[in-house]
Amino acid sequence: MLSEHSLDNLKGVGPKQLEKLHKLGLFVVQDLLFHLPLRYQDKTKLTAIENAVVGSEVLIEGEIFSQSLTRGRRSSLLVKIQSTQGHFLTLRFFHFHYRQAQQFTRGKILRVFGEVRSGPNGLEMVHPSYQFISVEDNPALETTLTPIYPTTEGLGQASLLKLMQQAMNLLKQYPLKELLPTALLDELQLPDLNSALFTLHQPQPEDDLRNIKQFSHPAQQRLIVEELISQQAGLQLLRQTEQKRLAPALAHSQTANALLASLPFALTHAQQRVLQEIQYDLALPHPMQRLVQGDVGSGKTVIAALAAIQAAEAGFQVAVMAPTEILAEQHLNAFLEWLEPLQIPVAWLNGRLKAAEKRFQLAQIASGEAKVIIGTHALFQDAVVFNRLGLVVIDEQHRFGVHQRLALHEKGQNQDTHPHQLVMTATPIPRTLAMTAYGDLDISIIDELPPGRKPIDTAVLSNEKRSEVMEHLYLKCKQGIQAYWVCPLIEESELLHAQAAEVTATQFSDNWPDLRVGLVHGRLKGEQKALVMNAFKNHELDLLVATTVIEVGVNVPNSSLMIIENAERLGLAQLHQLRGRVGRGDLQSHCVLLYQPPLSETGKARLNIMRDTNDGFRIAEEDLKIRGPGEILGTKQTGGLQFRIADLKRDSQWIPTAQYWAKNLVAQDAKIVELLQARWVGHKIDYQHA
Ligand SMILES: Nc1ncnc2c1ncn2[C@@H]1O[C@H](COP(=O)(O)OP(=O)(O)OP(=O)(O)O)[C@@H](O)[C@H]1O
């Protein structure tokens, strides 16, 4: 069984080599088969010197004509070989042994392999691999192209190649089971699994592998598609299990209409549509699993509140979880303002409640007295026992990771029904990425901003202009606007991070004593943070100097100027989040992105995207292209998105196809899905001849 056949069963694998193989993530023979070459060398045919093209890698034979040493401090060895047609090629060795040099005597025949380049004396090869050829010793040419594998220090290509050969011999004996439907392979014109593996590890000279580096060769694509289908099928299974569970069917709520009537604004069309989707789901007897994506400031909080009312009115509790205390507190304020007049009791749980207060809140939650409970991850604690949990709202889901999401969900398990689940994210996620990261959820998109919002005017400036920008900010604040100054994380140290913000805050206070400056950073206690935030909200402060703790959700509509330092170091999605703290009211807002020169071309291009658009979805697409999924989803979420061969940045065009086929498979062939999962996720048996 190749999926269980440990690598130390192969010839030549000792403990040291095993360690190196493990370092490459290779444990069983099947892993070797999925360890794909990066490129190939063609040693199957000889090229005449006169036909060698500069820049290409070729195998050449010739007779040694001369050898010499160059002059200078570090001399190099030059060996000139001549073809039967009388053309010359120079071999150049920078490092060589005296004994090695002696071998290259005139008249001997050499077979060399390397990249041809043009040197001072015509064509040359630097450090080619070479062997001597004679009438008695004339080894045959290779019959297949030679793969070059990703490797690690201390494990040479030659050893890896030997192991691969053994693995391929085993594969001939025990072919892997084809798990993809023939219809799919036919439609996409992709090869079957075993021939794909043979093509990639032992390609025939006529195989066209030019696309290999882009991973666009059909043999590679076949593997990518299979891995993506397996991942999608996993998500579909999760979804199916959830759909089979029971949830309380929550009837449409009259009280929600009362809130709508009391709001000083009407919902946008997009908000109405998303609200309807949620209301419909909540009325079904199976758990809703919905992700609401809305660009910054699109008004997600009120939608969450309306969903909460529907659950509360039906007699169920609602848990609302936010990723930071600042955000949880802000939700608390909004929910208190909206729900208290409707006689819906709101409870509040955070890490800094005094013991007595905490006991009281926990008792309210356990008795069912508290209907809507707002908090941070404090909501996970064992001490928190819900009475009748009907809906879980998770804001900024990517900060939590799938496991935490599920953990809160399981809190509703003491009942015969499961709670509904509403996940909200303000980071627009490109469609293909959302399908992969949240494929188990239905997706609603609020793709409209409330009327009257003006796009934020963004400027990109060098840090050399810092003092001018500070001065400008001061003058603006004197005219009555409020501003943010963000000092992003430069070092991976909360302390240094906080210090950078402190220094800036002091600079402002020293220069302009009449400017009311507040400071928030991650090292402040929750209480202090809340005090500063409230003061800023009530316009008792003109300027808030902050670290990226204010990134998500902070809502102070009167602030209309934001400066972000070291903007070049942040991802676009994060910059978009930060910038979204302004432009939330009727005022024309401005954002200045300061960068530390010199700025690379890509760096410039990235910041210019921020200057040119306010559209979060476009920014996210660009970010995906430039920085990959980790940047958009956060590391916790991408931890579960590690693929062996597929790459979300490179292969996203396959995701819709993979989702389609995964749905089919989950509906029709549970056995195959199980085998796929075992092959790509676990190391279980999935071989025909097991
Ligand atoms: N339809 C609407 N018309 C006008 N204002 C609205 C509308 N919906 C929400 N708002 C207001 O817009 C502001 C932003 O809303 P909210 O804080 O819910 O945004 P959000 O989508 O959570 O944004 P972010 O993800 O950036 O925090 C709030 O002050 C809210 O009261």
Side-chain angles (χ1 to χ4, degrees):
M1 287 171 296
L2 305 192
S3 59
E4 293 193 340
H5 200 89
S6 163
L7 289 176
D8 49 5
N9 292 329
L10 295 183
K11 251 191 284 164
V13 179
K16 268 206 177 138
Q17 205 170 26
L18 198 63
E19 201 181 301
K20 308 268 178 218
L21 291 165
H22 289 177
K23 213 166 151 194
L24 289 174
L26 309 176
F27 297 88
V28 291
V29 172
Q30 178 178 270
D31 295 337
L32 269 181
L33 298 173
F34 289 141
H35 190 65
L36 301 185
L38 295 167
R39 59 191 188 89
Y40 300 89
Q41 294 178 337
D42 187 355
K43 297 180 183 170
T44 64
K45 57 176 184 294
L46 288 167
T47 302
I49 294 178
E50 53 275 26
N51 294 335
V53 178
V54 170
S56 64
E57 280 189 323
V58 284
L59 191 67
I60 286 178
E61 273 183 17
E63 185 182 326
I64 297 179
F65 178 77
S66 66
Q67 66 140 299
S68 57
L69 293 177
T70 57
R71 290 173 195 282
R73 206 154 48 86
R74 282 187 60 218
S75 67
S76 48
L77 169 66
L78 301 181
V79 178
K80 208 166 185 180
I81 61 171
Q82 186 180 26
S83 70
T84 43
Q85 299 295 316
H87 294 270
F88 290 102
L89 172 75
T90 304
L91 315 178
R92 184 183 291 271
F93 299 90
F94 293 109
H95 319 282
F96 57 94
H97 293 293
Y98 177 67
R99 296 235 322 263
Q100 186 187 11
Q102 277 187 322
Q103 295 179 320
F104 295 112
T105 48
R106 191 181 160 110
K108 280 191 182 170
I109 307 292
L110 270 183
R111 183 183 289 172
V112 298
F113 183 86
E115 185 186 324
V116 178
R117 58 178 224 184
S118 121
N121 309 310
L123 293 183
E124 66 174 41
M125 267 185 197
V126 176
H127 278 278
S129 59
Y130 63 90
Q131 62 187 143
F132 290 94
I133 305 286
S134 63
V135 182
E136 305 83 53
D137 188 13
N138 190 351
L141 298 179
E142 302 282 349
T143 53
T144 61
L145 300 179
T146 311
I148 304 294
Y149 292 99
T151 187
T152 180
E153 215 187 314
L155 183 67
Q157 286 296 333
S159 342
L160 209 48
L161 209 56
K162 277 192 192 134
L163 297 180
M164 282 299 176
Q165 258 147 12
Q166 295 183 58
M168 295 311 287
N169 287 339
L170 285 167
L171 182 66
K172 273 184 204 142
Q173 266 179 290
Y174 308 108
L176 301 188
K177 186 172 164 60
E178 178 57 73
L179 298 178
L180 297 185
T182 321
L184 180 157
L185 296 178
D186 287 350
E187 185 188 316
L188 303 179
Q189 298 197 332
L190 296 175
D192 68 81
L193 177 63
N194 293 295
S195 38
L197 291 173
F198 278 108
T199 305
L200 292 170
H201 291 291
Q202 298 184 339
Q204 297 306 304
E206 62 278 10
D207 278 327
D208 179 7
L209 296 169
R210 269 173 303 183
N211 300 330
I212 219 93
K213 272 197 177 154
Q214 283 85 43
F215 272 73
S216 54
H217 190 279
Q220 291 168 319
Q221 304 234 311
R222 192 240 113 81
L223 292 165
I224 291 167
V225 167
E226 182 173 322
E227 186 170 31
L228 289 173
I229 288 181
S230 161
Q231 195 261 357
Q232 287 291 334
L235 290 169
Q236 296 300 325
L237 282 181
L238 214 75
R239 189 184 165 81
Q240 216 180 41
T241 320
E242 204 53 34
Q243 274 165 352
K244 282 189 190 141
R245 292 176 160 168
L246 294 177
L250 309 169
H252 285 229
S253 146
Q254 292 313 313
T255 319
N257 293 339
L259 172 58
L260 281 174
S262 72
L263 289 175
F265 52 77
L267 294 187
T268 61
H269 289 296
Q271 282 173 314
Q272 281 172 24
R273 191 189 64 239
V274 171
L275 179 63
Q276 273 166 12
E277 286 165 351
I278 294 171
Q279 287 173 335
Y280 177 84
D281 282 358
L282 289 177
L284 297 177
H286 301 288
M288 166 171 80
Q289 304 163 74
R290 191 166 283 281
L291 170 73
V292 173
Q293 280 195 57
D295 209 340
V296 285
S298 61
K300 291 179 290 292
T301 319
V302 70
I303 300 298
L306 289 161
I309 293 174
Q310 187 164 339
E313 193 174 76
F316 286 87
Q317 288 178 305
V318 181
V320 180
M321 188 168 73
T324 63
E325 292 215 346
I326 291 186
L327 199 56
E329 185 134 6
Q330 189 172 288
H331 281 333
L332 175 72
N333 293 335
F335 275 66
L336 283 174
E337 182 188 327
W338 290 329
L339 302 195
E340 289 225 313
L342 303 171
Q343 271 82 51
I344 300 175
V346 178
W348 163 235
L349 259 193
N350 71 13
R352 61 195 162 87
L353 288 184
K354 299 229 160 62
E357 174 66 12
K358 189 170 168 190
R359 257 198 314 278
F360 173 75
Q361 296 283 5
L362 287 175
Q364 295 285 96
I365 298 169
S367 71
E369 192 63 36
K371 281 286 176 287
V372 176
I373 301 98
I374 298 181
T376 55
H377 44 266
L379 293 181
F380 291 128
Q381 292 161 6
D382 287 341
V384 185
V385 181
F386 292 94
N387 181 275
R388 251 185 128 199
L389 190 58
L391 169 66
V392 172
V393 179
I394 302 183
D395 196 5
E396 288 298 328
Q397 127 95 17
H398 63 283
R399 295 283 170 125
F400 290 108
V402 179
H403 295 298
Q404 281 166 307
R405 159 149 72 91
L406 292 177
L408 187 56
H409 189 63
E410 297 307 321
K411 284 241 173 213
Q413 262 199 336
N414 50 355
Q415 314 152 184
D416 23 341
T417 58
H418 276 72
H420 295 279
Q421 203 185 143
L422 180 63
V423 175
M424 304 201 294
T425 163
T427 309
I429 303 167
R431 194 173 83 95
T432 49
L433 189 53
M435 282 170 127
T436 321
Y438 303 104
D440 58 327
L441 304 175
D442 291 309
I443 297 180
S444 294
I445 297 181
I446 311 185
D447 49 3
E448 184 184 354
L449 292 181
R453 297 274 170 84
K454 300 180 188 72
I456 302 158
D457 193 16
T458 301
V460 178
L461 295 179
S462 155
N463 201 30
E464 287 154 2
K465 297 256 162 60
R466 192 171 187 268
S467 335
E468 284 166 57
V469 174
M470 286 175 83
E471 170 110 34
H472 174 78
L473 181 145
Y474 168 71
L475 295 175
K476 282 285 167 195
C477 285
K478 284 288 107 188
Q479 290 166 17
I481 71 142
Q482 287 181 277
Y484 295 96
W485 185 287
V486 185
C487 309
L489 186 71
I490 298 170
E491 311 286 336
E492 284 299 318
S493 142
E494 195 71 50
L495 175 67
L496 291 175
H497 191 191
Q499 278 171 355
E502 266 162 28
V503 168
T504 306
T506 315
Q507 279 171 350
F508 272 107
S509 316
D510 288 352
N511 282 347
W512 298 284
D514 57 331
L515 190 71
R516 298 170 303 170
V517 184
L519 173 69
V520 279
H521 54 67
R523 283 172 66 87
L524 288 186
K525 291 224 171 72
E527 230 154 306
Q528 288 167 292
K529 254 190 260 177
L531 269 174
V532 180
M533 289 311 299
N534 276 334
F536 189 61
K537 203 159 197 160
N538 299 334
H539 207 160
E540 292 152 23
L541 294 172
D542 303 307
L543 167 65
L544 188 66
V545 178
T547 57
T548 45
V549 293
I550 60 150
E551 177 191 339
V552 278
V554 169
N555 186 36
V556 181
N558 189 49
S559 55
S560 61
L561 174 61
M562 167 164 285
I563 320 296
I564 305 176
E565 278 195 277
N566 293 106
E568 79 282 4
R569 300 190 188 214
L570 295 177
L572 296 187
Q574 201 181 2
L575 283 173
H576 181 61
Q577 263 299 316
L578 282 167
R579 180 174 65 175
R581 300 311 105 211
V582 295
R584 302 175 80 84
D586 299 335
L587 298 169
Q588 172 62 55
S589 293
H590 300 271
C591 175
V592 179
L593 303 177
L594 284 177
Y595 64 85
Q596 196 64 45
L599 190 59
S600 68
E601 280 306 309
T602 5
K604 206 174 284 171
R606 295 178 60 238
L607 293 185
N608 286 346
I609 294 169
M610 294 302 297
R611 192 192 56 200
D612 297 342
T613 184
N614 273 270
D615 177 349
F617 282 91
R618 215 197 114 201
I619 290 171
E621 290 283 355
E622 297 293 339
D623 220 17
L624 179 63
K625 275 190 231 151
I626 301 170
R627 312 241 304 199
E631 190 56 45
I632 299 172
L633 296 173
T635 37
K636 278 193 190 134
Q637 185 60 264
T638 27
L641 287 183
Q642 259 154 22
F643 292 92
R644 224 184 277 200
I645 296 172
D647 174 311
L648 290 181
K649 195 158 122 190
R650 186 191 61 211
D651 305 321
S652 63
Q653 85 276 11
W654 284 116
I655 293 170
T657 312
Q659 190 179 64
Y660 170 82
W661 285 95
K663 276 185 183 162
N664 278 355
L665 280 178
V666 168
Q668 289 162 16
D669 201 337
K671 182 74 195 149
I672 293 283
V673 173
E674 199 182 304
L675 292 175
L676 269 174
Q677 296 284 296
R679 179 177 290 172
W680 292 96
V681 186
H683 290 286
K684 290 193 209 132
I685 314 155
D686 59 333
Y687 289 87
Q688 263 175 352
H689 302 276

